Amino acid sequence: MKGLDFNLPKAKLSLPGLDRWLPEVQMRWRQGRRQFDARLPNERRLLIIAVLALIWFVFDTFMITPAFEQLKAARSREQQAVTGRDALQNEINRKRIELANRLLAAEKERELVRKRLADGEQELAKQQSMMAPAREMQALLEGLLVQNGQLKLKAMRTLPPTEVKFQPPAGMENATPVLFSHGLEVSVAGGYLDLVGWLRSVEQLPRRLLWDGMTLSANEDAQLVLTLEVHTFSPDRDTLEIAP
């Protein structure tokens, strides 16, 4: 290290108290330089290495290591954020797939309900075409009485229409009724065989009438009186009117 000028700059500084401690510093610097120059080259190299190691230790302790730890923490936070983002995206995708499956299942269920309704309407129309229309019941019954001149119509009255109960499809429990049972109560007087023949003619009509609630009695003239309830089905809810 000989030949190098390690003297402090001689520029004038205006620091407070500089003229008191500057000479002391210069003196200690010269003493240290002489001691350093007096050592063997190997010792001076070791000292230089030791000083550099000390500088590196201080630099690493207070700058490099904290900066590296901060960088590592930042990368860890970034990785956690990416992991959380990926998990959230996976959850969103799962919800989307689940929603799409539910919508598809609901659409299939609606199509099934529509098909059931269409099949039911077709079957209902088929059965209804085989039944006598509600408004023709009176004319049909009176026509059968005319064919059998031995019978006498004693009374005929309408029965209030009643809703025909079906098992509704799921989700359509409050649907509007689509079919009603309309009935007539008929009382006919005559001989036993004539009454039986009239009943058979009712059963053999091309378009059927359902009958039930049959009672047989005798009136004051010793005639048999057959009281019968006949029914048919119609989508019309209005009560039947009997022509006088």
Side-chain angles (χ1 to χ4, degrees):
M1 291 297 175
K2 287 184 178 182
L4 296 178
D5 188 3
F6 289 98
N7 290 328
L8 293 176
K10 298 180 180 180
K12 293 183 178 180
L13 300 176
S14 59
L15 295 176
L18 181 62
D19 52 352
R20 292 196 302 273
W21 55 265
L22 182 57
E24 181 69 21
V25 171
Q26 290 176 338
M27 182 185 66
R28 291 187 177 277
W29 170 257
R30 294 189 187 96
Q31 290 177 355
R33 190 183 64 178
R34 285 194 296 269
Q35 292 175 359
F36 181 79
D37 291 340
R39 293 180 179 274
L40 296 174
N42 290 335
E43 293 179 347
R44 284 182 287 179
R45 282 193 290 270
L46 291 175
L47 285 175
I48 293 173
I49 292 173
V51 171
L52 291 176
L54 178 61
I55 294 173
W56 173 256
F57 174 77
V58 173
F59 185 74
D60 179 71
T61 301
F62 294 101
M63 296 187 67
I64 295 179
T65 299
F68 179 76
E69 292 296 332
Q70 292 177 359
L71 178 61
K72 185 167 67 172
R75 287 180 176 176
S76 177
R77 290 192 298 269
E78 180 184 4
Q79 184 62 37
Q80 292 176 359
V82 171
T83 302
R85 182 201 62 192
D86 293 342
L88 180 60
Q89 187 63 45
N90 291 336
E91 181 67 15
I92 292 174
N93 293 336
R94 188 184 68 80
K95 291 292 185 181
R96 287 176 177 173
I97 295 174
E98 182 180 351
L99 178 60
N101 291 335
R102 288 183 179 179
L103 291 176
L104 182 60
E107 183 61 28
K108 289 182 178 179
E109 182 67 22
R110 282 195 295 269
E111 289 298 328
L112 183 60
V113 170
R114 292 192 190 103
K115 186 178 184 303
R116 288 177 179 174
L117 288 176
D119 294 343
E121 290 175 356
Q122 291 178 359
E123 183 63 24
L124 180 60
K126 178 182 177 181
Q127 295 297 327
Q128 190 175 348
S129 67
M130 299 170 61
M131 302 292 296
R135 298 188 181 279
E136 296 180 8
M137 281 196 301
Q138 180 183 358
L140 287 173
L141 294 174
E142 290 176 345
L144 293 177
L145 288 173
V146 171
Q147 292 177 10
N148 191 329
Q150 303 301 318
L151 298 177
K152 182 180 180 180
L153 179 63
K154 302 293 290 184
M156 182 182 290
R157 70 182 183 90
T158 59
L159 302 175
T162 58
E163 177 189 344
V164 179
K165 299 292 185 180
F166 295 101
Q167 181 64 35
M172 302 188 65
E173 290 78 5
N174 299 323
T176 304
V178 296
L179 195 63
F180 296 88
S181 174
H182 294 270
L184 289 176
E185 184 182 79
V186 183
S187 295
V188 180
Y192 178 78
L193 293 178
D194 294 327
L195 291 173
V196 172
W198 181 76
L199 258 180
R200 287 177 178 173
S201 65
V202 171
E203 291 181 336
Q204 294 173 358
L205 284 171
R207 304 185 74 178
R208 292 182 299 173
L209 287 173
L210 305 177
W211 60 270
D212 57 11
M214 182 177 64
T215 59
L216 187 64
S217 61
N219 61 12
E220 63 275 5
D221 299 328
Q223 284 184 317
L224 293 176
V225 179
L226 176 65
T227 301
L228 184 69
E229 293 182 2
V230 292
H231 299 273
T232 190
F233 299 107
S234 170
D236 190 0
R237 70 165 64 232
D238 296 334
T239 304
L240 293 176
E241 295 181 1
I242 297 179

